[in-house]
Amino acid sequence: MKLFSSFKRRSKVEIALYCFVSIIFAAVAFSYLYLLIWALLAGLRMHTEIVMDPFGLPTVLNWKNYIDVFKLLKVGNKNFWDMFFNSVYFSIVPTLIRQFLIMTFAYCCTRYKFPGSTLPYTIIMIMLTLPLYGRGGAQYILFSRLNLIDSYFYPFAAIGDAFSMVFLYYRAYYINMTGAYMEAAKIDGAGDFQCYFRIIIPMTKPLFGAMFLTGWLGEWNSYEGALIYLPSLPTLPVGIYQFNTEMIYQARLDILFAACVIVAIPAIILFTAFNKLITTSVSVGGLKG
Amino acid sequence: MLQKTKDTVKKKKMPLETKAFIIFSCALPVIGWLVFYMYVNLDSFLMAFTDKSGVFTLENFVRFWEELSKPNTVLRVAFKNTFLTFGINLLCFIPRVLVSYFLYKRVPGSKVFRVLFMIPAMVFSVALNMIVLRLLGVYGFVAQGVQEMMNLDYVPELLADDRFANITVLLHMVWLGFPGDLIIWGGTFARIPEEVLESGKLDGVTWWTEFTQIIVPMVWPTVALQLVLTFCNVFGASGSVFLLTKGEFGTMTLSAWMYLQVYNMTVGHSNVFNYMSAVGVCLTVVAVSISLIIRKYTDKAFSDVEF
């Protein structure tokens, strides 16, 4: 009955519309789920079975494939755990750096009045509406000069991302934040650093959490940067990409799809758990009225 | 007395700790921006006007013009596909907003859909496209369906056939992009005050009136902003070209082409960074012109936007 709770106090036209929309949504959602189920089942089959009949069901459930992933998913001399470590490191470190820098920067520019405090907002608006193209080559050369390629210092390039859309999310949050706590703390003798670390950061937790999770997910799933800038330190997406490319010599589709399922698990768990936080904490553009 | 107070306020100096906090907050972001954005873009601009040895030349622009004027060159195909992708993204803009709207209105099953619609964002795009590649293969029901529908005497390789590859990449983009940006739109709709909708209901407004006269005007600033940003990023429009086809079989887009230039360089192929920068400069000039025109005509809508 809970499923139809939205029908309370609705007209017949509305109920019909909602049912129609639900059917469309169900079809699309099923198609997405099908991809995961197919990969899950493919990971339970033998390689030859997948090649001969990609849409068949497994005759024997080879759960062993899901264990073998940890041994057989290799790229060069890097095994699964090396790639897992790289994925965790190259997704968490830049996201933490980026989010902390932007949060602090946005807070400072929103709540303090000093010469140039409104400039970042203007610059970001210009950057967003007047995009520049073709910087990939120059960026590669710079990263190469700074020895960031194939380096565990690569995530520190995230300090260049403070002038971005994320700044606007934090800015909107701080504009609407009440200043009462800050004033009370200042009357009690708290300094700027104390106020920021003891009051503002805890108050920004919901937005920081949402931004960190979406940022982390983007980095965790990303292959574009890692494929170019971290050729000897492959992350899991790059590992899977290269494993697929190298399969010309030793085909193991069963391992490939088992790996696809395993690497999706952390993101699925986190996203399902924090779905509400992520989809309701972020806003940009404002409301009228 | 009043003048004296004003002077005191004027002369009041910023405390040292506040100055230190401002420097602590702004130093790294500003340095990072100067190095990784300003320097990179400036260098890219200069590279457009030089050859590999750093000597001034307009050769890169001449080459770009020549490539554009010849029929069926990779860049010409990339332009065509980029505009096509952009057009389709624009057409999908409203349906994508509506997805978030209906989830916000809690259509039956919305809690489940909210999670399942995030699958394309949750699963590695590499992994997702590996799966899609197999499903679209000749043994898949999609390829066999196309064979029957078009009465072909062979099962087409949808992603390795000039006739089908581009449309397959575009449909793949529409399909996986169906939910749109649930995070932005979910946050926007969640901020609509319940009281406004409740009072509308008490006044007996229908669903259509509520949607057109309450919801749309309220979220309009976000719609305007997102539309302007979509237009501004016209040359960034691309599906999963790199993972599905690597730009082959007539599927190249401009952003895929640019990515491939850097990727090819890392795997030992030729270095065309200077040429790529020249293409980038030309695209930027066009994009900036489009952006300024759009800004001019949407100025009214844009003025309502509060970030």
Side-chain angles (χ1 to χ4, degrees):
Chain A
M1 277 298 104
K2 244 185 168 181
L3 188 69
F4 299 101
S5 59
S6 60
F7 285 173
K8 279 177 203 165
R9 295 158 60 202
R10 305 239 183 250
S11 67
K12 280 182 185 170
V13 178
E14 226 174 319
I15 292 172
L17 176 74
Y18 282 18
C19 287
F20 175 69
V21 168
S22 265
I23 291 167
I24 296 173
F25 280 13
V28 177
F30 175 75
S31 71
Y32 293 166
L33 196 60
Y34 177 75
L35 292 178
L36 281 187
I37 294 171
W38 185 86
L40 181 79
L41 292 175
L44 289 170
R45 302 170 76 195
M46 306 276 282
H47 166 76
T48 43
E49 275 185 295
I50 304 169
V51 174
M52 304 292 282
D53 179 15
F55 296 93
L57 290 168
T59 44
V60 182
L61 297 177
N62 281 316
W63 290 104
K64 202 171 160 288
N65 288 342
Y66 282 89
I67 297 161
D68 287 346
V69 167
F70 300 102
K71 279 191 292 183
L72 298 179
L73 190 78
K74 276 185 181 171
V75 175
N77 59 350
K78 304 288 177 195
N79 62 26
F80 179 90
W81 293 111
D82 295 327
M83 290 187 269
F84 180 77
F85 171 78
N86 289 340
S87 267
V88 170
Y89 178 82
F90 289 115
S91 59
I92 289 180
V93 175
T95 312
L96 264 181
I97 293 174
R98 192 176 295 126
Q99 294 304 324
F100 179 76
L101 277 186
I102 300 177
M103 179 175 70
T104 314
F105 188 43
Y107 168 72
C108 181
C109 294
T110 313
R111 291 300 214 170
Y112 288 80
K113 295 284 163 263
F114 57 92
S117 60
T118 54
L119 205 58
Y121 171 73
T122 313
I123 291 173
I124 291 168
M125 289 315 295
I126 293 171
M127 280 167 63
L128 284 176
T129 50
L130 304 176
L132 304 176
Y133 295 94
R135 64 201 288 253
Q139 183 165 299
Y140 186 84
I141 292 168
L142 176 72
F143 279 26
S144 180
R145 282 183 191 150
L146 294 174
N147 288 325
L148 292 177
I149 293 173
D150 258 343
S151 157
Y152 282 106
F153 288 106
Y154 170 71
F156 291 92
I159 63 165
D161 299 339
F163 287 69
S164 66
M165 189 87 174
V166 182
F167 178 95
L168 301 181
Y169 299 138
Y170 281 106
R171 185 178 177 271
Y173 190 81
Y174 288 128
I175 283 175
N176 295 319
M177 182 187 261
T178 171
Y181 295 106
M182 285 281 290
E183 279 165 28
K186 284 204 166 163
I187 290 167
D188 287 346
D192 296 279
F193 284 94
Q194 226 173 351
C195 279
Y196 181 66
F197 284 102
R198 295 252 177 109
I199 298 168
I200 300 301
I201 291 184
M203 283 175 83
T204 319
K205 262 186 198 165
L207 180 64
F208 183 85
M211 297 311 301
F212 179 82
L213 274 174
T214 45
W216 169 81
L217 189 75
E219 294 286 346
W220 174 259
N221 287 346
S222 162
Y223 68 92
E224 294 97 335
L227 199 58
I228 289 174
Y229 297 113
L230 303 166
S232 310
L233 300 170
T235 55
L236 280 169
V238 173
I240 289 176
Y241 175 80
Q242 287 181 344
F243 185 75
N244 182 54
T245 315
E246 287 167 14
M247 271 206 314
I248 302 159
Y249 309 106
Q250 192 196 1
R252 285 302 298 266
L253 282 174
D254 46 354
I255 297 297
L256 179 77
F257 292 119
C260 288
V261 174
I262 288 173
V263 296
I265 292 171
I268 290 175
I269 292 172
L270 277 173
F271 233 72
T272 310
F274 296 103
N275 184 272
K276 182 99 178 153
L277 172 80
I278 293 167
T279 52
T280 55
S281 300
V282 178
S283 68
V284 69
L287 288 177
K288 206 175 176 184
Chain B
M1 183 70 183
L2 187 70
Q3 188 57 41
K4 202 179 171 187
T5 319
K6 272 186 183 171
D7 287 347
T8 321
V9 172
K10 257 186 190 174
K11 281 173 190 168
K12 197 181 170 188
K13 276 191 174 177
M14 194 182 269
L16 199 64
E17 192 186 356
T18 307
K19 278 184 188 168
F21 182 75
I22 291 171
I23 293 170
F24 163 80
S25 307
C26 301
L28 261 185
V30 172
I31 293 169
W33 180 73
L34 287 174
V35 175
F36 293 104
Y37 184 84
M38 284 304 281
Y39 171 79
V40 164
N41 281 306
L42 201 65
D43 194 30
S44 175
F45 181 77
L46 294 176
M47 279 168 69
F49 294 92
T50 52
D51 61 15
K52 280 176 200 169
S53 48
V55 177
F56 175 82
T57 178
L58 290 174
E59 188 54 40
N60 298 316
F61 293 96
V62 174
R63 183 178 159 193
F64 176 55
W65 182 250
E66 278 173 1
E67 267 212 59
L68 270 191
S69 37
K70 283 180 206 158
N72 296 326
T73 54
V74 176
L75 266 182
R76 227 173 134 135
V77 171
F79 261 96
K80 188 194 88 187
N81 289 339
T82 301
F83 283 119
L84 197 59
T85 310
F86 170 73
I88 288 170
N89 272 335
L90 209 58
L91 283 178
C92 291
F93 183 84
I94 299 296
R96 285 172 185 165
V97 178
L98 286 176
V99 170
S100 287
Y101 168 71
F102 282 114
L103 289 179
Y104 159 72
K105 293 301 280 181
R106 292 189 221 109
V107 293
S110 56
K111 277 188 181 168
V112 181
F113 296 143
R114 219 182 272 271
V115 175
L116 293 180
F117 281 173
M118 295 306 280
I119 287 177
M122 286 191 285
V123 181
F124 286 176
S125 51
V126 170
L128 204 65
N129 285 303
M130 298 286 161
I131 300 166
V132 170
L133 275 171
R134 307 291 159 186
L135 295 181
L136 292 177
V138 284
Y139 295 108
F141 56 86
V142 183
Q144 286 169 6
V146 171
Q147 182 198 12
E148 269 186 37
M149 212 166 64
M150 301 194 70
N151 220 5
L152 301 170
D153 51 3
Y154 64 96
V155 184
E157 281 267 15
L158 294 176
L159 287 164
D161 185 325
D162 282 352
R163 280 189 302 167
F164 301 106
N166 202 32
I167 186 79
T168 308
V169 171
L170 290 170
L171 287 175
H172 169 273
M173 179 190 76
V174 172
W175 169 50
L176 289 183
F178 174 82
D181 199 332
L182 291 177
I183 294 170
I184 297 232
W185 291 111
T188 304
F189 287 120
R191 286 175 70 206
I192 295 175
E194 275 293 320
E195 313 86 70
V196 177
L197 301 184
E198 276 301 318
S199 61
K201 263 182 205 145
L202 290 174
D203 291 343
V205 295
T206 60
W207 169 82
W208 181 246
T209 315
E210 179 194 278
F211 180 69
T212 52
Q213 293 188 22
I214 301 174
I215 303 233
V216 171
M218 283 189 89
V219 301
W220 178 249
T222 311
V223 174
L225 171 71
Q226 295 298 329
L227 259 179
V228 170
L229 292 183
T230 307
F231 270 102
C232 294
N233 195 29
V234 53
F235 295 123
S238 180
S240 297
V241 173
F242 178 77
L243 290 176
L244 292 176
T245 59
K246 281 216 171 71
E248 288 177 37
F249 312 108
T251 61
M252 189 66 90
T253 57
L254 286 166
S255 67
W257 181 82
M258 296 224 186
Y259 181 75
L260 276 163
Q261 302 314 304
V262 186
Y263 175 74
N264 287 339
M265 152 69 191
T266 63
V267 291
H269 296 156
S270 63
N271 173 358
V272 286
F273 285 171
N274 297 76
Y275 177 51
M276 178 185 157
S277 296
V279 175
V281 167
C282 296
L283 295 184
T284 300
V285 170
V286 179
V288 166
S289 315
I290 293 174
S291 178
L292 290 175
I293 294 167
I294 297 292
R295 279 294 296 270
K296 194 183 168 193
Y297 287 102
T298 54
D299 219 24
K300 172 77 181 69
F302 219 75
S303 63
D304 294 327
V305 179
E306 36 160 289
F307 298 96

